Amino acid sequence: MKVGYIGLGHMGGALAARLQLSQPLFVFDLRAANIEALTRLGATACQSNREVGEKSDIVLLSLQTSEQVREVIFGKDGLREGLARGTMIIDQTTGDANATRQMAKELETDGIELIDGPVSGGPPGAAAGTIAIMVGGTEVQFARAEPVLRMISSNVVHTGVLGTGQVIKLANNLLNAAQRLLTFEVMCLAVKNGATPQKTWEVMVKSSGRNFMLEHTFPKHILTGELAQGFTLGLMHKDVRLAQDLAAASDVPMFFGSTVLALYRDLANEFGRDGEVNLGVKLFERLSGATITPPGAHG
Ligand code: NAD
């Protein structure tokens, strides 16, 4: 079996590096430096998305958005031009499930299968081989994709029909996005009223309000002031917006979600879409007048 990987940024680069440990890859990205990082590990560089398709039976993608996925597949020199009948694309993008379903339909006439397999756990989870991979597709498609995905992680779940991996990923990221900002808010409340960030964290991480943010991100990135974790405000805003779109399309209320969306829009405007996701703490510090990061904290 020949396997390709397209989109070798923060996330795709880490996923491809993990896969390359077990499976030689054909790779392409618009950025030469990202391709080089993989060829140094033994992967074979291609000159276009089409060439990755020509050389592969299964191609994995990790792009920023479903619009970029469409460009990679259907654009000039795209995957569709290279892939033969009977091949498969596994889209690891945190994308729009309805767009994925539409693209899968368009590929049917060419005999090319498209399934979704987004991830949660970030580049460290990929490097450790523990990243969560949620896969939407038929039983037969999952059985075909699973051996490749298990080379990346032991944590692979078949979530149901096509698109359900992306649906669950968006629901999860809305929860993460909300917890992150609510954690900043309650920390500012405690600190403004005389508690220290350290003691507030020590108590809350073992109390009923504990969450992923308190357990992992807060000690590693906020208390240390090393805000950067390789995930941008622009991508988080995109995920929350996609969750909102899904809600609108399916008549589900988003009381909290709409507030979270407005906050990430403001944060992306203030710090830039390429700004690190934890820069949100700066807004809460400024609005409250409380300081929870150490001097010199940077993203
Ligand atoms: P990124 O911007 O670092 O990487 C995207 C890569 O795609 C870039 O290297 C870019 O050059 C490449 N690309 C764009 N258009 C292309 C094209 N037409 N042909 C070939 N390559 C192209 O983004 P990222 O942080 O790696 O995120 C990728 C996806 O993973 C997103 O959907 C994101 O939401 C999701 N994700 C990211 C993280 C994280 O911690 N970074 C965690 C979970 C999920």
Side-chain angles (χ1 to χ4, degrees):
M1 181 184 46
K2 294 181 185 140
V3 179
Y5 210 110
I6 295 172
L8 310 167
H10 289 110
M11 195 63 254
L15 292 164
R18 177 78 197 179
L19 188 50
Q20 173 64 35
L21 293 175
S22 316
Q23 167 72 50
L25 294 176
F26 296 96
V27 295
F28 182 68
D29 191 286
L30 292 181
R31 294 182 205 158
N34 289 353
I35 297 179
E36 274 160 35
L38 262 295
T39 53
R40 275 199 296 276
L41 301 176
T44 304
C46 293
Q47 301 304 314
S48 67
N49 292 318
R50 177 175 47 75
E51 190 185 339
V52 175
E54 284 164 357
K55 299 209 159 123
S56 309
D57 306 309
I58 294 187
V59 179
L60 295 93
L61 311 178
S62 178
L63 285 311
Q64 287 204 344
T65 60
S66 293
E67 287 80 9
Q68 287 186 357
V69 171
R70 177 167 280 285
E71 174 62 26
V72 163
I73 298 175
F74 299 98
K76 188 174 176 310
D77 272 337
L79 262 183
R80 187 187 200 175
E81 293 176 25
L83 284 170
R85 293 189 81 79
T87 53
M88 174 179 266
I89 301 168
I90 306 174
D91 183 13
Q92 303 212 276
T93 305
T94 305
D96 173 345
N98 290 328
T100 303
R101 288 167 178 154
Q102 175 60 32
M103 287 188 275
K105 212 167 159 190
E106 289 172 43
L107 287 166
E108 264 173 24
T109 48
D110 299 310
I112 300 166
E113 293 182 282
L114 168 65
I115 64 171
D116 54 313
V119 297
S120 180
T130 56
I131 196 161
I133 307 180
M134 42 214 104
V135 187
T138 64
E139 293 284 351
V140 173
Q141 287 172 327
F142 180 69
R144 183 175 184 192
E146 190 181 11
V148 177
L149 295 173
R150 286 211 174 270
M151 291 178 200
I152 300 176
S153 173
S154 51
N155 185 7
V156 182
V157 178
H158 183 202
T159 51
V161 297
L162 178 67
T164 51
Q166 288 177 331
V167 166
I168 294 173
K169 171 65 182 169
L170 292 180
N172 174 78
N173 273 27
L174 174 56
L175 195 54
N176 176 291
Q179 281 178 347
R180 192 177 300 262
L181 299 188
L182 187 53
T183 302
F184 296 152
E185 188 169 283
V186 300
M187 276 286 168
C188 287
L189 173 68
V191 170
K192 189 75 183 286
N193 288 281
T196 65
Q198 179 70 33
K199 286 294 166 196
T200 309
W201 173 74
E202 270 177 44
V203 172
M204 289 203 310
V205 78
K206 292 191 181 131
S207 300
S208 56
R210 71 182 177 277
N211 58 52
F212 185 88
M213 177 70 192
L214 275 174
E215 284 170 338
H216 300 279
T217 315
F218 202 83
K220 197 168 169 196
H221 295 290
I222 310 301
L223 285 176
T224 61
E226 298 288 338
L227 301 181
Q229 68 169 80
F231 190 61
T232 63
L233 283 165
L235 285 179
M236 189 62 106
H237 176 248
K238 179 254 313 181
D239 293 351
V240 176
R241 184 178 48 74
L242 285 175
Q244 191 84 12
D245 292 348
L246 212 52
S250 53
D251 288 331
V252 173
M254 283 277 115
F255 302 115
F256 299 107
S258 50
T259 302
V260 174
L261 177 62
L263 278 163
Y264 278 96
R265 180 205 56 209
D266 294 350
L267 288 168
N269 282 341
E270 176 160 349
F271 297 105
R273 296 191 73 78
D274 290 335
E276 277 286 331
V277 69
N278 289 321
L279 282 168
V281 70
K282 298 277 183 195
L283 177 73
F284 284 83
E285 287 183 319
R286 194 178 74 234
L287 294 178
S288 66
T291 302
I292 59 177
T293 52
H298 58 278

